[in-house]
Amino acid sequence: MATALFHDGLTVHTQSHDYPIIITEKSATEASSMAKQVAPYISGRQVLIVTNDIVAPLYLKSLEDELAQQFTVKVCVLPDGEQYKNQTSIDQIYDALMAEHFNRDVTLIALGGGVVGDMTGFAAASFMRGVNFIQIPTTLLSQVDSSVGGKTGINHAQGKNMIGAFWQPQIVLAEMSTLKTLPARELSAGLAEVIKYALIMDADFLTWLEHNLPAMMALDLAVLGEAVKRCCQYKADVVAQDERESGVRALLNFGHTFGHVIETHEGYGNWLHGEAVAAGMVQAAELSQKLGWLTNEDVARIKRVLTLANLPITPPTIDVQTALDLMGHDKKVKHGQIRLILLKSIGEAVLTNDFDAELLTDVLSQHSS
Amino acid sequence: MATALFHDGLTVHTQSHDYPIIITEKSATEASSMAKQVAPYISGRQVLIVTNDIVAPLYLKSLEDELAQQFTVKVCVLPDGEQYKNQTSIDQIYDALMAEHFNRDVTLIALGGGVVGDMTGFAAASFMRGVNFIQIPTTLLSQVDSSVGGKTGINHAQGKNMIGAFWQPQIVLAEMSTLKTLPARELSAGLAEVIKYALIMDADFLTWLEHNLPAMMALDLAVLGEAVKRCCQYKADVVAQDERESGVRALLNFGHTFGHVIETHEGYGNWLHGEAVAAGMVQAAELSQKLGWLTNEDVARIKRVLTLANLPITPPTIDVQTALDLMGHDKKVKHGQIRLILLKSIGEAVLTNDFDAELLTDVLSQHSS
């Protein structure tokens, strides 16, 4: 695989504007390149970098120092973790912006994983009714998923991602080298979303993953870069068709309705998002099998590939009625009917409420008390 | 003036969608008409009416009861006042939505003045990344200004309207009869924005107001309806040209930068927004006069018409440096330079930073300690 691939970049087409995704393989010591890559996309003089206490020691200083040569740069360091993806953290970002007298010209930079990106994006969407922001995702999960497409937001105590906005970044910069500092558990969580793209969109990519997952888990940056690029291309195509998720974009939530139940029930942060999605995809596959769309072997194959990526394939024990109630809070509910993304076959997903409620109960009760 | 005028309605053209403004003269006892007017603009089955404890006893019951025949209707009653235009109130709206398991199909209805409208709009913009909402403004201020154009938001402890979104309603319904229950002080506050349109856009309208203000203050609903219609037409024209306030829309903020200083310094709610804008417009006019754009007689005329509407023409005592600092937090600041909307003549406004800072200091120090 040619390294050149990673310097092509992609373009995301959205209603508000087009923007590039740059995927590079730079070495971690060359971290100053982050500043060089994003500086042309900063239109004013003011920059607020938002990051967390895990990522800050790794990448903040060089980014901050280099940008400070051209811009007024301030930093907001939030505590790490999904459990801090809430209004309190957003208020900290607002307070930092107000304390600096920053105005509509400010650019916010999200340096971190999906939680940092979602919160920074929502703060940018809502500060002074909308300012620019830039995504520098440092986890595999955020590189292939949350940093692309403009979904931003926070959790409500009663539901995940309930508060937010569609707000597009000026650029997404994914440096593969940042994956070298990512804990193995989080790399696996990111692989759940990579596998998701294969299951809903491209059976050939699943075969590719079955061959290449070992190299990815051994941090072969070239192979990881190729996978990230493919995933970003899938997502960019979907977002261009359906930015506000009135149609096809919903398919990207495969495994997520089941996964949200797990995350909400277990408390945000105890199961990683990707882990919950992995177990949730298995449940969605099981329901697809009960409908006669997937074979037993398809389900077994999905479990094998998730296991290869060190991901859980069994949800925690959750009472069926509790699970159904939690599903009622999910955004995919329409007119009170639970709609789920299921697989017609490997590589082809549908959003449907056309299934017997008992089959859903069957799937849920396999893991209830 | 023919009553027919008020049934024409206007259309606001925006990026996301076009929507009507309906201005009616219905009698207050016929309040059930509100439900009839807005029902066709509710696309799902779920409705949350957001109002406050002053407006609720007047108009809530009939609206709620009649809508409940077709929809699942819940209510969120907030405390009245600018001092509650904050995150705590937004959280109350989110909590009400979550408690009812409301989803993306919900329509929020803002029943009240500008504070209720701004908060309901922002909650609609951010709940599940955006749901529909409807404006039923019950104050003159919100009928001529805040309900039209999609600016939504809340205050930050350090600045007014610092958090928010551009989010357009499905319909704006302005019933003139609601002005009969509006306190005289609030009617005057609304007249400040009416006078503003004349000062920045239409010298003839100022002459019209000089003749018609007494009838408006005596609650002649036909004359009030005509004024509201003219103001909504001015605003709709501006919004169609410049929805996100990158250009001409900023002119609608005439008097507001000075006014925001007053509101922030005095604490939200002690000076009504319209009162602060009135005194702020006088300060902006005084600076325009110092630049040789307005005559002394122009400034005197502006003061006379504001006085005719029972509005203050003198700001409270505020230290000059404090005022300048507070201006630094205003959204109209660009690249650290204070930009102000000033009058080239009556009926013609400009946004400019091309003035001697000393002249601004002179104007501010007329009312400093």
Side-chain angles (χ1 to χ4, degrees):
Chain A
M1 203 164 319
T3 305
L5 261 182
F6 311 111
H7 300 279
D8 292 349
L10 303 170
T11 301
V12 187
H13 303 280
T14 73
Q15 262 200 341
S16 61
H17 61 277
D18 292 352
Y19 60 89
I21 305 173
I22 308 286
I23 300 163
T24 76
E25 221 189 303
K26 292 267 163 58
S27 75
T29 54
E30 229 184 300
S32 70
S33 63
M34 279 184 187
K36 286 201 187 76
Q37 298 264 14
V38 301
Y41 296 87
I42 299 171
S43 57
R45 294 186 204 158
Q46 303 168 341
V47 173
L48 181 74
I49 303 173
V50 180
T51 187
N52 68 35
D53 50 16
I54 300 299
V55 176
L58 300 170
Y59 304 108
L60 176 60
K61 192 174 181 321
S62 56
L63 178 65
E64 182 185 2
D65 288 353
E66 200 172 335
L67 287 177
Q69 295 169 21
Q70 289 183 66
F71 306 100
T72 303
V73 182
K74 300 293 167 182
V75 172
C76 176
V77 180
L78 299 170
D80 176 53
E82 180 85 23
Q83 65 272 40
Y84 299 104
K85 188 176 165 180
N86 56 26
Q87 191 62 50
T88 306
S89 296
I90 294 290
D91 288 342
Q92 280 182 258
I93 303 176
Y94 292 151
D95 290 347
L97 289 162
M98 292 301 293
E100 300 301 333
H101 288 217
F102 279 173
N103 59 40
R104 285 179 176 167
D105 290 331
V106 71
T107 294
L108 274 62
I109 297 179
L111 175 69
V115 171
V116 165
D118 282 9
M119 292 200 293
T120 307
F122 182 50
S126 54
F127 183 64
M128 294 195 175
R129 301 196 192 94
V131 299
N132 285 351
F133 88 113
I134 286 169
Q135 291 269 22
I136 305 181
T138 60
T139 66
L140 180 59
L141 179 65
S142 56
Q143 286 168 352
V144 299
D145 183 30
S146 59
S147 70
V148 178
K151 277 193 185 181
T152 71
I154 54 174
N155 301 326
H156 183 274
Q158 267 87 56
K160 202 169 143 59
N161 292 326
M162 282 291 147
I163 314 300
F166 287 94
W167 196 246
Q168 303 291 345
Q170 299 302 302
I171 179 179
V172 179
L173 172 64
E175 281 201 13
M176 290 304 105
S177 57
T178 57
L179 300 182
K180 289 193 170 167
T181 54
L182 191 68
R185 188 179 164 197
E186 295 207 30
L187 187 76
S188 288
L191 290 172
E193 297 280 352
V194 174
I195 293 166
K196 178 196 76 178
Y197 286 106
L199 295 179
I200 63 171
M201 301 188 102
D202 189 346
D204 289 345
F205 186 42
L206 190 65
T207 307
W208 187 92
L209 285 172
E210 286 168 332
H211 287 103
N212 287 287
L213 273 172
M216 292 165 76
M217 296 185 66
L219 291 174
D220 180 326
L221 297 189
V223 180
L224 280 165
E226 171 67 11
V228 169
K229 186 169 174 173
R230 285 197 190 203
C231 294
C232 287
Q233 187 66 63
Y234 294 129
K235 183 141 189 191
D237 290 346
V238 168
V239 169
Q241 284 176 61
D242 176 28
E243 185 173 345
R244 299 194 73 87
E245 197 171 305
S246 41
V248 63
R249 184 165 181 175
L251 301 181
L252 296 177
N253 294 312
F254 178 61
H256 283 58
T257 300
F258 291 100
H260 284 183
V261 170
I262 298 171
E263 283 185 280
T264 309
H265 187 264
E266 300 299 301
Y268 298 134
N270 294 318
W271 275 61
L272 295 179
H273 175 68
E275 293 168 344
V277 167
M281 289 194 296
V282 172
Q283 291 181 287
E286 284 168 348
L287 182 52
S288 306
Q289 186 269 325
K290 285 182 193 292
L291 288 163
W293 296 342
L294 294 190
T295 64
N296 285 331
E297 169 50 25
D298 288 332
V299 176
R301 186 181 174 199
I302 291 170
K303 288 181 180 175
R304 276 199 305 274
V305 75
L306 291 170
T307 304
L308 191 61
N310 254 341
L311 284 161
I313 54 172
T314 310
T317 302
I318 303 176
D319 173 71
V320 174
Q321 192 51 52
T322 305
L324 288 170
D325 284 350
L326 289 170
M327 283 184 168
H329 271 308
D330 192 272
K331 290 190 290 299
K332 263 71 68 188
V333 173
K334 185 119 183 156
H335 299 311
Q337 273 268 7
I338 292 175
R339 300 188 307 163
L340 292 169
I341 297 129
L342 301 177
L343 297 182
K344 293 293 264 187
S345 63
I346 285 181
E348 187 195 357
V350 288
L351 175 62
T352 181
N353 58 12
D354 188 17
F355 52 82
D356 193 330
E358 238 170 75
L359 296 180
L360 171 59
T361 307
D362 281 356
V363 168
L364 293 172
S365 60
Q366 285 175 36
H367 310 285
S368 69
S369 45
Chain B
M1 201 165 315
T3 305
L5 261 180
F6 311 111
H7 300 280
D8 292 349
L10 303 169
T11 301
V12 187
H13 302 281
T14 74
Q15 263 198 339
S16 60
H17 61 276
D18 293 351
Y19 60 90
I21 306 173
I22 308 286
I23 300 163
T24 75
E25 221 189 298
K26 292 266 163 58
S27 73
T29 53
E30 229 184 300
S32 69
S33 63
M34 280 184 186
K36 285 203 187 76
Q37 297 267 12
V38 302
Y41 296 87
I42 299 170
S43 57
R45 294 188 205 157
Q46 303 169 339
V47 172
L48 181 74
I49 303 173
V50 181
T51 187
N52 68 34
D53 49 16
I54 300 298
V55 175
L58 300 171
Y59 304 108
L60 176 60
K61 190 172 183 323
S62 56
L63 178 65
E64 183 184 0
D65 288 351
E66 201 173 336
L67 288 177
Q69 296 170 19
Q70 288 184 65
F71 307 100
T72 303
V73 182
K74 298 292 168 183
V75 172
C76 177
V77 180
L78 300 170
D80 175 55
E82 180 83 24
Q83 66 271 38
Y84 299 104
K85 188 177 165 181
N86 56 27
Q87 190 63 50
T88 306
S89 296
I90 294 290
D91 288 342
Q92 281 182 256
I93 302 176
Y94 293 151
D95 290 347
L97 289 162
M98 292 301 292
E100 300 302 332
H101 289 218
F102 278 174
N103 60 39
R104 284 178 177 167
D105 290 330
V106 72
T107 294
L108 274 61
I109 297 180
L111 175 70
V115 171
V116 165
D118 283 8
M119 293 199 294
T120 307
F122 182 49
S126 53
F127 183 65
M128 293 195 177
R129 300 195 192 96
V131 298
N132 286 351
F133 88 113
I134 285 170
Q135 292 269 20
I136 306 183
T138 60
T139 66
L140 180 59
L141 180 66
S142 57
Q143 286 170 352
V144 298
D145 183 31
S146 59
S147 70
V148 178
K151 278 194 183 177
T152 71
I154 54 174
N155 300 324
H156 183 276
Q158 267 87 58
K160 203 171 142 57
N161 292 326
M162 282 293 147
I163 314 303
F166 286 93
W167 196 247
Q168 303 292 345
Q170 300 300 304
I171 178 179
V172 179
L173 172 65
E175 282 201 12
M176 289 305 105
S177 56
T178 58
L179 299 182
K180 288 193 172 168
T181 55
L182 192 67
R185 188 179 164 195
E186 293 207 33
L187 187 76
S188 289
L191 290 173
E193 297 280 353
V194 175
I195 293 166
K196 179 197 76 179
Y197 286 106
L199 294 179
I200 63 172
M201 301 189 104
D202 190 346
D204 289 344
F205 186 42
L206 190 63
T207 308
W208 188 92
L209 286 172
E210 285 167 334
H211 286 103
N212 287 287
L213 273 172
M216 293 164 76
M217 296 183 68
L219 291 174
D220 180 326
L221 298 188
V223 180
L224 280 163
E226 170 68 13
V228 168
K229 186 168 177 174
R230 284 198 192 202
C231 293
C232 287
Q233 187 66 63
Y234 293 129
K235 184 141 188 191
D237 290 347
V238 168
V239 168
Q241 283 175 61
D242 175 28
E243 186 172 342
R244 298 195 74 88
E245 195 170 307
S246 42
V248 63
R249 183 165 181 173
L251 301 182
L252 296 177
N253 293 311
F254 177 62
H256 283 59
T257 300
F258 290 101
H260 283 183
V261 170
I262 298 171
E263 283 184 280
T264 310
H265 187 265
E266 301 297 303
Y268 298 133
N270 293 317
W271 275 61
L272 295 179
H273 176 68
E275 293 168 344
V277 167
M281 290 195 294
V282 172
Q283 290 181 289
E286 285 168 349
L287 182 53
S288 306
Q289 185 271 324
K290 284 181 193 296
L291 289 163
W293 295 341
L294 294 190
T295 65
N296 284 330
E297 169 48 26
D298 288 333
V299 176
R301 187 182 173 200
I302 292 170
K303 288 182 179 175
R304 275 199 306 274
V305 75
L306 292 169
T307 304
L308 190 61
N310 256 340
L311 286 161
I313 55 172
T314 310
T317 301
I318 303 175
D319 174 71
V320 174
Q321 193 51 53
T322 305
L324 288 170
D325 284 352
L326 289 171
M327 282 183 169
H329 271 304
D330 192 272
K331 288 189 291 297
K332 264 70 70 188
V333 173
K334 186 115 185 160
H335 298 313
Q337 273 267 5
I338 292 175
R339 299 187 308 163
L340 292 169
I341 296 129
L342 301 176
L343 297 182
K344 295 294 263 187
S345 64
I346 286 181
E348 189 194 356
V350 289
L351 175 63
T352 181
N353 59 12
D354 186 18
F355 52 82
D356 193 331
E358 238 171 74
L359 295 181
L360 172 58
T361 308
D362 282 356
V363 167
L364 293 172
S365 59
Q366 285 174 36
H367 309 284
S368 71
S369 48

